[in-house]
Amino acid sequence: MAFTVVIPARFGSSRFPGKPLASINGKPMIQHVVERAKEAGAERIIVATDDVRIEEVASQFCTVCMTSLEHQSGTERIAEVVRKMALGADDIVVNVQGDEPFIPAENIRQVALNLAHAKECEMATLTTPVTSTDDVFNPNIVKVVVNKNNEAIYFSRSPIPFERDRMMSDKRDANTALYHRHIGIYAYRAGYIEQYVSYEPSALEQIESLEQLRALWYGDSIHCQQAKAPPPIGIDTPEDLERLLVALEQHS
């Protein structure tokens, strides 16, 4: 199955400026992401950036598409790539974040295949079980509930579902087996990306600060499945990267 991976990569992160170019084992972070996409079997890999420093580095190992500085989300940036690179409406595009250097290649391919098979869905994404009570109540851990067809009902930073009988008596008491964490990888058809960015931002996405809620607000379907491989550690700050490098050294 043919699919394209687009990797949005911004230089100007408030918590970690220049993050896509941070060195990991002698390679810039963005190169590790590209290598995971190659391992997944992507037919085409495109780094979408608004910064010439990232362009200069990434153009050494993949295609780069320069995009506007004005985009508010990775999906908006990918929509510009779809137009500039003339992707076909039915082409499957996987959005892989530029700060996921160790995302399992298996997960990239999984989400593309899921969308190909779920023809009634506009998007596909992945989840992983929540194992910690703290994560249930952590607003930085996005939870998702799905219906019997493995389609998302809602995403939230709050504990969903809410266990009335247990949590009304002790709001910190939760059965972690009921909770699923959303992993921020998406597959969509190129034509739908254009449709998505044509929508007005929704109230729910602004309240929760979760752009995928725009799709649900307008009645579109998001296929969800548990990731086949454990998700990587997120890298949001230089301290996160330092902890990762120490862990890599300990396991080498």
Side-chain angles (χ1 to χ4, degrees):
M1 182 204 63
F3 63 94
T4 296
V5 168
V6 180
I7 305 169
R10 294 192 313 113
F11 191 92
S13 167
S14 59
R15 290 190 289 176
F16 194 166
K19 178 165 54 172
L21 300 183
S23 180
I24 300 175
N25 291 343
K27 298 178 186 176
M29 185 183 298
I30 191 69
Q31 186 173 352
H32 287 275
V33 183
V34 169
E35 288 174 356
R36 301 295 81 75
K38 289 179 179 177
E39 291 169 8
E43 180 182 55
R44 195 175 192 183
I45 302 167
I46 304 167
V47 168
T49 188
D50 55 12
D51 192 280
V52 294
R53 289 164 289 190
I54 295 175
E55 179 193 28
E56 288 173 359
V57 171
S59 61
Q60 299 174 42
F61 43 80
C62 72
T63 301
V64 177
C65 181
M66 290 298 292
T67 56
S68 170
L69 288 164
E70 305 302 318
H71 295 312
Q72 299 301 307
S73 70
T75 307
E76 289 183 7
R77 198 172 302 283
I78 290 173
E80 184 176 352
V81 173
V82 167
R83 293 189 292 270
K84 284 187 171 180
M85 308 301 284
L87 299 183
D90 291 329
D91 289 357
I92 291 178
V93 176
V94 180
N95 175 352
V96 178
Q97 298 303 309
D99 59 358
E100 297 282 5
F102 298 108
I103 184 169
E106 187 176 11
N107 291 352
I108 298 173
R109 183 162 183 81
Q110 178 186 1
V111 75
L113 284 168
N114 287 351
L115 183 67
H117 293 150
K119 299 188 184 301
E120 70 284 357
C121 292
E122 283 77 20
M123 296 173 59
T125 190
L126 299 177
T127 68
T128 191
V130 170
T131 58
S132 161
T133 302
D134 287 343
D135 284 352
V136 172
F137 296 94
N138 183 347
N140 294 315
I141 302 295
V142 177
K143 278 68 69 173
V144 58
V145 292
V146 303
N147 63 20
K148 66 182 181 65
N149 298 318
N150 291 319
E151 297 168 359
I153 297 173
Y154 194 65
F155 298 84
S156 182
R157 299 182 182 279
S158 297
I160 56 171
F162 183 87
E163 299 177 81
R164 188 193 67 173
D165 291 343
R166 291 175 61 138
M167 295 165 68
M168 287 292 282
S169 58
D170 181 356
K171 66 180 181 179
R172 297 292 298 182
D173 187 18
N175 176 9
T176 56
L178 295 175
Y179 296 88
H180 297 274
R181 175 184 178 179
H182 177 231
I183 300 172
I185 182 173
Y186 300 99
Y188 1 53
R189 295 172 188 86
Y192 175 71
I193 298 171
E194 292 279 21
Q195 179 180 330
Y196 174 93
V197 297
S198 73
Y199 292 147
E200 288 292 323
S202 68
L204 288 178
E205 71 176 281
Q206 294 173 328
I207 291 168
E208 295 258 18
S209 191
L210 297 173
E211 66 170 319
Q212 65 269 34
L213 289 174
R214 186 184 309 184
L216 298 185
W217 176 271
Y218 286 97
D220 298 333
S221 297
I222 303 176
H223 181 276
C224 295
Q225 187 179 62
Q226 184 173 322
K228 291 183 178 180
I233 299 170
I235 301 174
D236 296 319
T237 66
E239 291 74 25
D240 291 338
L241 178 57
E242 185 60 33
R243 283 192 292 270
L244 174 63
L245 294 175
V246 169
L248 289 173
E249 186 174 341
Q250 290 173 346
H251 287 85
S252 62

